[in-house]
Amino acid sequence: MNNNLGALMVKSNTGYLGVSEPISLGGPTEKDVVQTAEVEKFLADAGLYESQEEAVSREEVLGKLDQTVKTWIKKATRVSGYGEQFVQEANAKIFTFGSYRLGVHGPGADIDTLCVGPRHATRNDYFFRCLHDMLAEMPEVSELHPVPDAHVPVLGFKLCGVSIDLLYANLAHVVIPDDLDLSQDSILHNVDEQAVRSLNGCRVTDQILRLVPNIPSFRTTLRFMRYWGKRRGVYSNVMGFLGGINWAILVARICQLYPNASPSMLISRFFRVYSQWKWPNPVTLCHIEEGPLGLPVWDPRRNFRDRGHQMPIITPAYPCMNSSYNVSTSTRYVMVQEFTRGYEICQAIDENRATWDDLFEPYPFFELYKNYLEVGITARNEDDLRNWKGWVESRLRTLVLKFERYTHEMLLAHPHPRDFSDGSRPLHSFYFMGLWRKQTAQPQEAEQFDIRGIVNEFKNAVLAYAHRREGMDIEVSHVKRKDIPLFVFPGGVRPPRSSRTVARSSRTVSRNVVTADGQVGNQLGAESWSDPQSALDHSGGYQSTSLLVPSVSSKETQSILNGHSNLHTESLEHEHPGHFLGSTSAPANIAVLDVVTQPNSMPSTSSNGAPTNGLDICFNSLHREAERIPANNPVNFSPAVVDELDELASYQAKPDDKHVLPVHGTSLEGCSGRTVGQTCNLSSHGNNHLKRKAEEELEVFFSF
């Protein structure tokens, strides 16, 4: 092995990182080294690396910010009434975290920063007032935007053209030392919850870097996966997909399982492992410790909310928490489908049947479904629209959860991860969701979903925004695929569905013709219609699904708020569908008509395995029932791959029954009920056939 290959090797006699031994200690072959060079060239050609000039500029900006907060803390100390000697000793420090600290940021990316100050410099009185005013007076600062009421309070601004997100934590220290170590748990003594959450970003980022065996390989792989997630529409924490910290933990775990692998190998293993991972088994980089301070940690044995998490990805720093609690049944299904597609293409790349470009083909969201919901919002000025967008985006995932909850996960929603603007209508933003009905293992009779109450409840929650101003409004419209507005397409031109596009998208996309029609959908309740198209079920008969949607305007919805005054205080975590599936009927104000109940042969949980974190926890996956369901997403592995996946399966072995805990929801993954290494057919045709049938059979009509 040459020197380059040898540099990648990690000696097995030094122990291992993580909660289990590595799956393989094998290093890269010459072919893997060539493929890694191709990966690095691909990333460079995609413009994902900043220039040396920009890197120097960022360092200068961080230095200027550090000097600014040091000046601020002395001023705050003097205002607090301390003597001049103490004022001169006062100190504040700037730390970085996120993509910049991990070394995977790109050109123009924000810098996530944390300011740590002493106990007398409080957040509200000094950080969001005194420091805010100092920044506002600096000519180098622009777009200053404080968000003191956020879950993690943040001060956003641009300094010398570089975007900064600045968090703050005032510690119990009288003076902040220059050599402050944030990794020590004692740093969390006597600080409030906001400070703990603010400190968690730096602590988690640093811990991830400590827990990966090869940082350069980790960085290349993570940069690749972040870009892939954005191209395929699964990079957005707020929309229920995965954010930066989630991707970092997932990649770090693969690095632990394959410590000597090159980036090209890690990419393929990433898709292989997570396409077969038995969610909701948690992904952890280290054992979850209770810690000395009594802070709550992720533990489904004790915390009811934790049991409903669909895709737990646990942060490695105390207090360990689930970083992906926003994931829903619908978004998890989409992501697992994408992981499966990724692994298929990686196999094809290895066999010289595909290229890296194929992996990054943009996600054909507006070709996937027959029916979409369009959520349009408007405001009177740019500042109001920015605030209104932030609030609405934080609530959109609750609409997905409501669909899942009130239809017992029979109706699922796929949110697009970004908003769209119509050039002809300024101060407007639009969000889209694709709707489809989950196909079950048994044929169903005609069914009807009434989502009027769901949409009304969603509007109620949105309109309860505490800082809502006149002109902030919202409309929800239904749009068929042929009527998708042209402004969502690049250049305002609807792309043709060529045979090449259909062939490439056949893994996940329905083969239905999209007509070139730019008509925008009507507001819900504006008209009545029905789709004459029907679909054959497995038994040769016809089945149909109807969806009733409301005709309530924003003004009418506002009048309902008197009866829902507590909606704006509802926790996002309470929205999880798993918390409501024990009921045999929907809430009284939601009319669900002719809903066919879930077949007895279908599993009643979303679990399909056991955890890997050493907590002796497990989830009730109803293995016996799941094994009777035909797998609709089979995968055929080579003997070497089967050996590796059998090794992975041993890390997800089912523990003793006495530790079994129920998890609500229904598994949608194709290999539900199978062990990770079980042999099946690689083609995803079966899964896509069921999904294609389900979305074709969903008929939506309006009702006054």
Side-chain angles (χ1 to χ4, degrees):
M1 182 174 293
N2 60 33
N3 292 334
N4 291 333
L5 294 179
L8 291 170
M9 298 298 293
V10 175
K11 295 181 180 180
S12 59
N13 59 6
T14 61
Y16 59 85
L17 297 170
V19 297
S20 62
E21 294 183 0
I23 291 177
S24 171
L25 292 174
T29 64
E30 294 290 347
K31 181 177 181 180
D32 294 323
V33 173
V34 171
Q35 288 184 337
T36 294
E38 294 174 354
V39 166
E40 293 172 344
K41 183 179 184 301
F42 181 89
L43 296 176
D45 292 343
L48 300 183
Y49 295 97
E50 68 178 356
S51 65
Q52 183 62 33
E53 293 77 9
E54 186 174 1
V56 171
S57 175
R58 286 177 183 270
E59 291 292 337
E60 293 175 349
V61 166
L62 288 174
K64 189 174 187 63
L65 179 61
D66 187 63
Q67 290 301 315
T68 300
V69 299
K70 291 183 184 304
T71 301
W72 158 73
I73 198 61
K74 294 183 185 302
K75 179 179 179 180
T77 303
R78 184 175 290 109
V79 171
S80 299
Y82 290 94
E84 192 60 29
Q85 181 178 352
F86 191 77
V87 168
Q88 296 304 316
E89 295 176 354
N91 190 29
K93 280 185 63 66
I94 290 292
F95 296 87
T96 61
F97 62 99
S99 62
Y100 184 82
R101 176 71 179 92
L102 290 172
V104 295
H105 60 287
D110 297 349
I111 303 180
D112 295 315
T113 57
L114 168 71
C115 176
V116 176
R119 63 187 181 189
H120 63 270
T122 58
R123 181 181 301 104
N124 292 331
D125 292 335
Y126 292 100
F127 181 75
F128 280 111
R129 291 183 183 178
C130 182
L131 180 58
H132 173 274
D133 293 344
M134 283 185 60
L135 293 172
E137 295 174 357
M138 296 173 59
E140 307 96 324
V141 174
S142 61
E143 300 182 21
L144 184 60
H145 180 60
V147 191
D149 299 326
H151 187 65
V152 181
V154 61
L155 193 60
F157 56 93
K158 284 188 175 181
L159 179 58
C160 300
V162 177
S163 295
I164 303 287
D165 286 333
L166 182 61
L167 310 184
Y168 181 68
N170 60 313
L171 306 182
H173 295 60
V174 176
V175 177
I176 301 299
D178 284 329
D179 59 350
L180 181 68
D181 183 4
L182 296 183
S183 67
Q184 300 298 317
D185 291 344
S186 60
I187 207 78
L188 303 177
H189 273 295
N190 298 321
V191 299
D192 59 23
E193 292 183 5
Q194 289 91 342
V196 171
R197 288 193 288 264
S198 298
L199 289 163
N200 201 41
C202 290
R203 287 166 54 82
V204 168
T205 302
D206 290 345
Q207 187 70 351
I208 289 173
L209 293 174
R210 295 187 188 99
L211 290 172
V212 293
N214 188 312
I215 291 179
S217 292
F218 164 75
R219 285 175 170 163
T220 300
T221 307
L222 178 55
R223 193 183 295 272
F224 185 98
M225 295 310 309
R226 284 164 54 93
Y227 183 55
W228 175 84
K230 294 174 182 178
R231 293 284 291 180
R232 296 301 296 177
V234 290
Y235 191 106
S236 175
N237 182 279
V238 70
M239 290 296 184
F241 295 105
L242 301 182
I245 193 63
N246 310 135
W247 291 103
I249 294 173
L250 291 182
V251 170
R253 183 62 182 137
I254 299 302
C255 291
Q256 290 179 343
L257 294 174
Y258 302 91
N260 299 319
S262 64
S264 65
M265 299 168 64
L266 293 171
I267 292 165
S268 177
R269 270 61 170 183
F270 179 100
F271 289 122
R272 177 196 301 173
V273 169
Y274 293 124
S275 65
Q276 294 296 298
W277 193 269
K278 295 188 287 186
W279 306 105
N281 293 342
V283 174
T284 59
L285 299 181
C286 57
H287 294 287
I288 298 177
E289 304 292 344
E290 292 293 336
L293 305 179
L295 297 174
V297 298
W298 188 83
D299 186 351
R301 297 171 302 181
R302 303 176 181 177
N303 306 324
F304 179 78
R305 293 182 185 179
D306 295 346
R307 302 179 193 179
H309 293 170
Q310 295 287 316
M311 203 172 182
I313 301 173
I314 311 303
T315 57
Y318 176 76
C320 297
M321 297 178 287
N322 178 21
S323 62
S324 56
Y325 62 86
N326 280 353
V327 174
S328 67
T329 299
S330 300
T331 54
R332 185 190 68 179
Y333 178 77
V334 171
M335 286 187 282
V336 172
Q337 289 290 88
E338 284 301 299
F339 294 156
T340 302
R341 170 189 176 273
Y343 182 52
E344 292 176 2
I345 294 178
C346 282
Q347 286 184 306
I349 292 174
D350 194 54
E351 298 167 2
N352 297 320
R353 295 186 291 108
T355 66
W356 297 112
D357 288 325
D358 296 316
L359 195 62
F360 287 88
E361 183 176 324
Y363 192 78
F365 179 83
F366 292 107
E367 299 176 8
L368 272 175
Y369 308 104
K370 289 180 63 179
N371 298 289
Y372 295 83
L373 283 185
E374 175 189 295
V375 179
I377 64 172
T378 184
R380 289 195 168 182
N381 56 64
E382 292 290 349
D383 288 339
D384 285 355
L385 182 61
R386 181 176 61 249
N387 294 334
W388 189 225
K389 283 175 60 176
W391 169 251
V392 172
E393 287 178 1
S394 73
R395 305 305 299 176
L396 282 173
R397 61 173 288 271
T398 69
L399 180 57
V400 176
L401 297 179
K402 292 177 193 297
F403 282 137
E404 297 173 355
R405 180 202 313 169
Y406 295 135
T407 65
H408 300 277
E409 298 187 0
M410 296 302 294
L411 180 65
L412 303 178
H414 177 182
H416 195 285
R418 53 157 290 200
D419 66 294
F420 295 87
S421 298
D422 183 359
S424 64
R425 287 182 284 179
L427 300 178
H428 283 70
S429 286
F430 301 89
Y431 303 87
F432 292 86
M433 289 186 183
L435 301 177
W436 87 93
R437 192 196 67 174
K438 187 185 68 178
Q439 183 71 26
T440 59
Q442 296 181 356
Q444 307 253 332
E445 298 178 0
E447 58 186 351
Q448 184 179 78
F449 295 122
D450 184 346
I451 66 168
R452 289 174 293 189
I454 297 176
V455 175
N456 289 342
E457 185 178 314
F458 167 71
K459 285 185 176 181
N460 293 342
V462 171
L463 293 173
Y465 180 42
H467 304 288
R468 183 172 178 239
R469 296 184 178 182
E470 186 177 357
M472 292 181 175
D473 208 350
I474 180 171
E475 292 182 356
V476 182
S477 305
H478 168 264
V479 186
K480 296 191 69 175
R481 180 171 56 209
K482 65 184 181 64
D483 298 324
I484 291 293
L486 294 180
F487 62 75
V488 307
F489 301 108
V493 178
R494 188 185 307 273
R497 281 181 58 82
S498 64
S499 58
R500 182 170 179 266
T501 300
V502 171
R504 283 190 171 187
S505 60
S506 61
R507 296 183 181 89
T508 56
V509 181
S510 170
R511 298 171 185 254
N512 291 309
V513 177
V514 179
T515 59
D517 188 341
Q519 181 180 354
V520 179
N522 297 294
Q523 183 177 354
L524 287 180
E527 65 173 336
S528 297
W529 64 275
S530 62
D531 188 348
Q533 191 175 10
S534 302
L536 284 169
D537 63 15
H538 291 297
S539 61
Y542 286 89
Q543 53 177 303
S544 63
T545 303
S546 297
L547 194 65
L548 293 173
V549 290
S551 57
V552 182
S553 66
S554 295
K555 291 183 179 179
E556 292 172 320
T557 304
Q558 181 65 45
S559 67
I560 303 174
L561 284 177
N562 292 334
H564 300 80
S565 59
N566 65 332
L567 284 175
H568 66 283
T569 61
E570 183 179 14
S571 169
L572 290 183
E573 295 185 20
H574 287 165
E575 294 280 354
H576 201 283
H579 301 158
F580 299 89
L581 290 178
S583 174
T584 58
S585 62
N589 63 331
I590 304 296
V592 181
L593 307 178
D594 303 326
V595 177
V596 178
T597 57
Q598 191 170 299
N600 292 332
S601 63
M602 291 295 291
S604 61
T605 80
S606 60
S607 169
N608 56 359
T612 61
N613 62 350
L615 278 176
D616 292 327
I617 317 166
C618 92
F619 304 88
N620 182 9
S621 59
L622 299 183
H623 285 285
R624 290 185 296 275
E625 292 187 13
E627 288 172 355
R628 292 198 294 268
I629 303 172
N632 60 9
N633 187 25
V635 179
N636 184 30
F637 296 119
S638 66
V641 173
V642 170
D643 289 342
E644 287 191 10
L645 290 178
D646 281 339
E647 189 73 15
L648 174 64
S650 68
Y651 303 144
Q652 304 185 92
K654 184 177 180 180
D656 298 335
D657 290 340
K658 65 181 180 180
H659 296 296
V660 170
L661 289 176
V663 176
H664 304 293
T666 302
S667 176
L668 294 175
E669 274 75 290
C671 288
S672 174
R674 293 176 178 262
T675 56
V676 175
Q678 209 167 345
T679 303
C680 23
N681 181 3
L682 176 63
S683 172
S684 62
H685 170 74
N687 196 18
N688 299 316
H689 173 67
L690 293 179
K691 182 177 179 182
R692 184 160 59 249
K693 282 176 59 60
E695 65 97 7
E696 287 176 350
E697 292 159 2
L698 179 61
E699 297 182 4
V700 184
F701 64 89
F702 298 128
S703 174
F704 290 101

